[in-house]
Amino acid sequence: MIILVMGTTGAGKTTVGKLVAAQLGWIFLDADDFHPPANIEKMKHGIPLTDADRGPWLENIHAELARLSSTGKNAVLACSALKQSYRDKLSSGVDLKIAYLRGSYDQMRRHIEARQGHFAGESILAGQFADLEEPHDALLLEVSRTPEELSAEIVAKFQPSS
């Protein structure tokens, strides 16, 4: 199984995803690690990514999800996955469950302002909210809760039964 922790920049995907992976003893994957250097440069300069930019990135992520799935390994993926077409690409041929970290633009902006050292800043937030297609098949979680509360709910919902 793959648990996708999704949302816009500033939602806390990496923080929550790492907590979930640690609690379950699963592999943690950060989608940011799959971006080609050109995408990272664009985001550092506040230039929104296009679907063409995201294509190779999504293919790289999906290849890793498929590889893990084929070997029977479980993982938690922190990824914006803003559009349904992106989630369809990521879930193709894998058992993917979605936890959606939802919040307002202002909540995300405050989160971004509080963090250090991340290449994606507030300048791309408006574009992400414009691109966002909220999932209908997801565990919906409000970002006003603590990362610990959010991760506990994800684990309770998706932990495989023994």
Side-chain angles (χ1 to χ4, degrees):
M1 177 190 304
I2 307 295
I3 298 174
L4 166 63
V5 179
M6 66 156 288
T8 65
T9 190
K13 300 177 296 290
T14 299
T15 301
V16 172
K18 284 180 177 178
L19 288 169
V20 172
Q23 289 171 36
L24 293 172
W26 290 8
I27 296 164
F28 174 75
L29 301 171
D30 191 327
D32 289 343
D33 295 337
F34 293 83
H35 273 297
N39 285 8
I40 293 172
E41 281 304 309
K42 277 186 154 185
M43 289 185 284
K44 278 183 181 176
H45 292 95
I47 301 167
L49 298 180
T50 65
D51 282 350
D53 294 326
R54 290 185 182 105
W57 171 65
L58 291 166
E59 289 172 16
N60 291 341
I61 297 167
H62 180 259
E64 180 62 9
L65 297 180
R67 185 189 71 75
L68 291 170
S69 184
S70 72
T71 61
K73 294 186 177 152
N74 299 311
V76 177
L77 169 65
C79 180
S80 54
L82 298 172
K83 294 183 180 182
Q84 185 62 48
S85 62
Y86 304 166
R87 295 186 293 274
D88 291 345
K89 172 74 176 167
L90 293 174
S91 66
S92 178
V94 300
D95 180 16
L96 186 108
K97 307 294 185 201
I98 302 171
Y100 170 39
L101 304 182
R102 183 173 78 174
S104 70
Y105 185 96
D106 284 339
Q107 285 173 306
M108 301 308 184
R109 181 184 47 76
R110 285 193 301 273
H111 289 181
I112 291 166
E113 289 171 351
R115 71 183 180 191
Q116 304 273 319
H118 193 278
F119 59 81
E122 184 186 352
S123 58
I124 69 166
L125 188 58
Q128 287 205 340
F129 266 87
D131 286 347
L132 178 62
E133 297 170 3
E134 291 194 332
H136 301 289
D137 56 347
L139 174 62
L140 178 62
L141 301 159
E142 296 295 332
V143 299
S144 57
R145 298 168 58 203
T146 68
E148 292 76 17
E149 291 169 331
L150 296 169
S151 63
E153 187 166 343
I154 294 168
V155 168
K157 172 76 174 175
F158 296 128
Q159 183 171 31
S161 54
S162 305

